[in-house]
Amino acid sequence: EVQLVESGGGLVQPRTSLRLSCATYGFNFDDYAMTWVRQAPGKGLEWVSSISGNGGNSGSTHYADSVKGRFTISRDDVKKKLFLQMNRLRAEDTAVYFCAKSPGYSSTYFDSWGQGTLVTVSS
Amino acid sequence: IQMTQSPSSVSASVGDKVTITCRASQDITSSLAWFQQKPGKAPKSLIFAASSLETGVPSRFSGSGSGTDFTLTISSLQPEDFATFFCQQYDSFPFTFGPGTRVDMK
């Protein structure tokens, strides 16, 4: 059974950093593209960043304009973990952050999701 | 690519047929997915490639459309279906979601 478990969220001050992790179970992690999606309180879903899996442009990354230059997505295929390094955090980054898996090595839609981790940016 | 959904909310009863529309600002061929989200929970994949049902999703859910106009239909609403539904395009980066359609009890 596929499981995605996010961690690393919390309350942080503006302009500081935070690193989110997503531990994965039940599938061959390095073969699949992975993505971070966020949801501000009471709002809709916002795609944040994706990283491809093995095959094709392995490890290629993409970012939303709202986080480009501040956030970095990465993966550790040995530990089967996905990461999101978030720097220079802003109040508008406050959201639940979900990690999600695509059904193949290229980023497409998301067939499995974690339960999310809450990031609150406030002074 | 901008995604819009209509209606933003709908009130319905168990057994009703519910139709939700999603429109893309440009041609996305069939690169569209639908998700269901209940309060405090992660989204759940329902449909991919505009009309393909995810494994385990009840057959009362169906999707149609291509290009710019898409539809999610619930043929006979069940108590567990009350939730918010989002569409998502994956034709090109940045991926984008529709604003959501809330289905609540009449």
Side-chain angles (χ1 to χ4, degrees):
Chain A
E1 178 194 1
V2 172
Q3 276 193 294
L4 309 175
V5 182
E6 302 93 337
S7 60
L11 172 63
V12 295
Q13 295 196 332
R15 296 176 297 281
T16 62
S17 299
L18 201 60
R19 189 193 196 205
L20 305 183
S21 298
C22 174
T24 72
Y25 309 90
F27 64 102
N28 202 21
F29 178 74
D30 50 355
D31 285 342
Y32 295 92
M34 299 294 295
T35 292
W36 289 98
V37 174
R38 69 185 181 183
Q39 187 169 37
K43 302 298 184 182
L45 300 169
E46 180 187 14
W47 172 80
V48 174
S49 180
S50 294
I51 185 167
S52 65
N54 263 339
N57 291 324
S58 180
S60 66
T61 58
H62 299 269
Y63 298 93
D65 285 346
S66 58
V67 307
K68 200 172 293 182
R70 299 188 300 124
F71 290 11
T72 302
I73 191 171
S74 62
R75 60 190 299 156
D76 183 330
D77 289 344
V78 173
K79 295 183 178 178
K80 299 182 184 295
K81 284 189 172 183
L82 177 72
F83 302 100
L84 186 68
Q85 178 66 44
M86 304 186 295
N87 297 332
R88 304 197 308 275
L89 282 160
R90 305 167 179 168
E92 54 265 36
D93 295 319
T94 294
V96 174
Y97 285 73
F98 296 100
C99 73
K101 168 189 165 291
S102 288
Y105 62 80
S106 290
S107 300
T108 54
Y109 73 100
F110 316 117
D111 60 1
S112 296
W113 297 66
Q115 83 289 349
T117 187
L118 176 62
V119 173
T120 304
V121 183
S122 174
S123 55
Chain B
I1 300 173
Q2 310 302 319
M3 306 299 292
T4 57
Q5 285 182 236
S6 61
S8 57
S9 66
V10 57
S11 296
S13 301
V14 172
D16 285 353
K17 178 179 179 180
V18 174
T19 300
I20 298 169
T21 296
C22 176
R23 177 164 289 173
S25 61
Q26 65 188 66
D27 188 345
I28 59 169
T29 61
S30 295
S31 301
L32 185 101
W34 288 97
F35 301 93
Q36 176 191 51
Q37 187 180 33
K38 297 181 180 179
K41 300 294 187 183
K44 173 189 171 185
S45 176
L46 298 175
I47 286 170
F48 62 95
S51 59
S52 296
L53 205 62
E54 193 71 72
T55 302
V57 173
S59 59
R60 62 180 179 272
F61 291 94
S62 64
S64 65
S66 66
T68 60
D69 293 316
F70 303 87
T71 299
L72 172 70
T73 300
I74 310 171
S75 60
S76 177
L77 197 67
Q78 298 301 299
E80 61 269 30
D81 299 338
F82 292 100
T84 300
F85 296 84
F86 297 92
C87 59
Q88 177 233 338
Q89 69 80 17
Y90 52 93
D91 180 73
S92 62
F93 289 108
F95 294 163
T96 43
F97 291 88
T101 296
R102 191 174 76 178
V103 178
D104 57 29
M105 197 174 300
K106 185 183 291 183

